[in-house]
Amino acid sequence: MTGSTGGAPTAELQDGELVLHGRIMPASNATFLGEIDGAKVVYKPVSGERPLWDFPDGTLADREVAAYLVSEELGWDVVPPTWLREGPHGLGMVQLWREPDPDQEAVTLVHEGELPPGYLHVFDGVDGRDLPVSLVHEDTEPLRRMAVFDVVVNNADRKGGHVLEMTDGHRHGVDHGITFHVEHKLRTVLWGWLGYAIPSEDLEEVLRVGQALAGPLGDTLSAHLTDLEIETAATRCRRLVERAVMPAPRGSYPAIPWPPF
């Protein structure tokens, strides 16, 4: 299968024919499953994006690509290879498909008060049958690094369904169209590490990304984000390193996306 590294897809992925196999439902914006030169991909055309009043600048596609570029700079492989290119419905985001393992659940619901070994509690609520349940997520390095990544990019929509469980234990994050806002917008199901100390090796990478945002990485992101969005991302990196703990929800903005899956 052809691949992509460092935000630069191979010539085949960039210029090869993008054949669509169908639309992915449900999705609030036009999302298609397709194939390029034997590689399975997701295609989200800009023409299919619904305007968002609180994200007036840029496009969802640009922010998806920006999230991938930050993921690459961190070196944690959170976001699958993602780039912009033309497709059947015009310019859009294309991302290499990652097939999750159906037997794994990184984020799940359990009976209230039942915390499985190796999981962290997030919140309690009721399910569709009005039964008390708890939302929990696993306590693993790949998922914790995704939570740190979400702080850096200010992810406003980390649903449980946006976590892809790989058979080898790795976790990919997808759907990063509402990220990088200059105001605090962090909305996630990964609050289980609230107040936990961030490992020093993770902080070193965040510090390095913050510095890169003021240099080459920021220059690259300028094609996808505003200068203020890039500067604010660098500030988030600096503050996260200074505090060295996972942040807590703040302000009146909802802390959990709805629906959470």
Side-chain angles (χ1 to χ4, degrees):
M1 178 182 291
T2 52
S4 169
T5 59
T10 61
E12 291 85 356
L13 289 173
Q14 183 63 60
D15 302 323
E17 182 182 7
L18 172 51
V19 179
L20 301 186
H21 296 314
R23 187 165 179 174
I24 298 175
M25 301 294 288
S28 56
N29 297 281
T31 305
F32 299 90
L33 177 62
E35 184 177 326
I36 306 171
D37 192 41
K40 197 174 181 181
V41 299
V42 175
Y43 166 56
K44 299 180 181 180
V46 173
S47 62
E49 294 181 4
R50 295 171 55 187
L52 298 173
W53 66 268
D54 55 342
F55 281 82
D57 297 316
T59 66
L60 304 182
D62 275 309
R63 286 189 285 272
E64 293 249 29
V65 173
Y68 167 66
L69 294 171
V70 170
S71 168
E72 284 292 280
E73 188 70 29
L74 282 166
W76 296 341
D77 191 27
V78 175
V79 184
T82 308
W83 65 99
L84 290 177
R85 60 155 285 172
E86 292 290 334
H89 299 291
L91 183 68
M93 178 225 80
V94 176
Q95 184 175 83
L96 284 182
W97 178 269
R98 292 291 185 255
E99 187 68 40
D101 185 341
D103 295 327
Q104 299 187 45
E105 291 182 311
V107 183
T108 190
L109 294 174
V110 297
H111 295 297
E112 184 177 0
E114 295 182 5
L115 184 63
Y119 280 73
L120 298 173
H121 176 267
V122 180
F123 71 88
D124 299 321
V126 294
D127 64 12
R129 297 174 296 171
D130 289 330
L131 297 176
V133 295
S134 297
L135 187 144
V136 300
H137 64 67
E138 64 184 18
D139 182 9
T140 63
E141 179 182 274
L143 198 65
R144 186 198 70 236
R145 285 182 163 176
M146 186 184 301
V148 173
F149 164 81
D150 284 342
V151 176
V152 171
V153 301
N154 199 15
N155 191 357
D157 195 30
R158 176 63 72 203
K159 293 182 172 70
H162 295 170
V163 177
L164 305 184
E165 302 91 344
M166 299 294 100
T167 301
D168 64 0
H170 188 66
R171 293 342 184 196
H172 286 296
V174 296
D175 287 317
H176 300 107
I178 48 177
T179 49
F180 295 102
H181 203 287
V182 297
E183 298 175 5
H184 175 75
K185 295 283 187 181
L186 184 61
R187 188 165 54 177
T188 175
V189 295
L190 303 181
W191 288 113
W193 290 284
L194 189 157
Y196 279 43
I198 301 173
S200 59
E201 58 268 26
D202 291 359
L203 292 175
E204 290 174 2
E205 298 305 323
V206 173
L207 176 62
R208 184 177 54 79
V209 168
Q211 294 168 341
L213 284 165
L217 178 59
D219 294 340
T220 302
L221 290 179
S222 65
H224 308 288
L225 304 173
T226 67
D227 290 344
L228 184 56
E229 287 170 334
I230 296 169
E231 293 168 8
T232 306
T235 298
R236 285 194 298 271
C237 289
R238 186 181 69 253
R239 288 177 177 171
L240 189 60
V241 171
E242 290 172 350
R243 295 166 182 169
V245 297
M246 293 298 289
R250 58 185 172 87
S252 59
Y253 191 75
I256 305 289
W258 186 261
F261 287 90

